[in-house]
Amino acid sequence: MGVFTYQSEIVTAIPPAKMFKACILDGDTLIPKIVPQVFKSVEYLEGNGEPGSIRKVTFAQGNQFNYMKQKVEALDKENFEYIYSVIEGDPLMNMLDKITYEIKLEASPGGGSICKTSSKYYTIGDIELKEEAIKAGKEKASGVLFNSIEAYLVANPNAY
């Protein structure tokens, strides 16, 4: 098994506490509402969002993926850190054992936040991943998600 790591950063105008609450703490209900063309539903199969919880994410019809199961590995509400792994489903593409995402939100100098993400792709056997494909897919997905949440929070300033 090999491990491929990809690091990324996204800057938003939303302060870390507000972005963390919307994206992480309330993301299971908020994200399918604001990007229904991507996510159909999120349901907990075990737990309620704390470490050890397992949830099933169902993608909207017409996406390249149908579903994935995620396991919450760590949740630090005070330091705005969240770690989860994709443990089953289409995003693993029969090439990956799992994908682990480590997310940390920090204050940016302009009053918004910097979302730092470390993505670790654990391959099955000797499969090699192409960095360009991982980077392109990750940047597109993260951009859509964070830009949609940021737009929602800007349009609804009293929502959080």
Side-chain angles (χ1 to χ4, degrees):
M1 176 190 332
V3 179
F4 173 79
T5 302
Y6 176 72
Q7 311 267 344
S8 63
E9 287 187 8
I10 295 176
V11 178
T12 75
I14 308 300
K18 196 172 193 176
M19 184 60 99
F20 192 80
K21 181 166 178 23
C23 188
I24 305 300
L25 300 180
D26 295 344
D28 298 336
T29 55
L30 181 62
I31 293 170
K33 289 179 186 174
I34 61 175
V35 279
Q37 70 275 21
V38 179
F39 299 100
K40 180 179 177 184
S41 65
V42 178
E43 63 179 305
Y44 279 92
L45 305 175
E46 297 176 29
N48 61 357
E50 296 299 319
S53 298
I54 306 285
R55 67 180 169 213
K56 180 181 179 184
V57 177
T58 304
F59 293 94
Q61 198 168 20
N63 282 286
Q64 73 182 79
F65 302 135
N66 293 313
Y67 85 100
M68 68 180 157
K69 285 186 183 174
Q70 301 173 334
K71 179 179 183 183
V72 178
E73 307 284 358
L75 175 63
D76 184 341
K77 297 174 186 177
E78 289 77 35
N79 294 305
F80 311 122
E81 296 178 0
Y82 182 62
I83 302 171
Y84 72 96
S85 295
V86 176
I87 57 170
E88 181 182 310
D90 304 318
L92 299 178
M93 302 173 289
N94 296 319
M95 296 174 26
L96 301 167
D97 184 46
K98 69 176 181 174
I99 307 168
T100 299
Y101 298 100
E102 298 178 15
I103 300 165
K104 168 101 172 120
L105 287 163
E106 299 175 351
S108 69
S113 57
I114 302 168
C115 176
K116 296 182 177 184
T117 304
S118 173
S119 308
K120 293 181 182 174
Y121 299 81
Y122 296 83
T123 61
I124 296 171
D126 295 335
I127 293 174
E128 290 188 31
L129 299 177
K130 297 198 183 316
E131 183 175 355
E132 303 81 30
I134 295 293
K135 183 178 178 182
K138 179 72 177 134
E139 288 179 358
K140 180 181 176 186
S142 295
V144 167
L145 183 61
F146 280 97
N147 290 339
S148 297
I149 291 171
E150 181 178 34
Y152 174 82
L153 293 174
V154 168
N156 301 280
N158 296 324
Y160 286 87

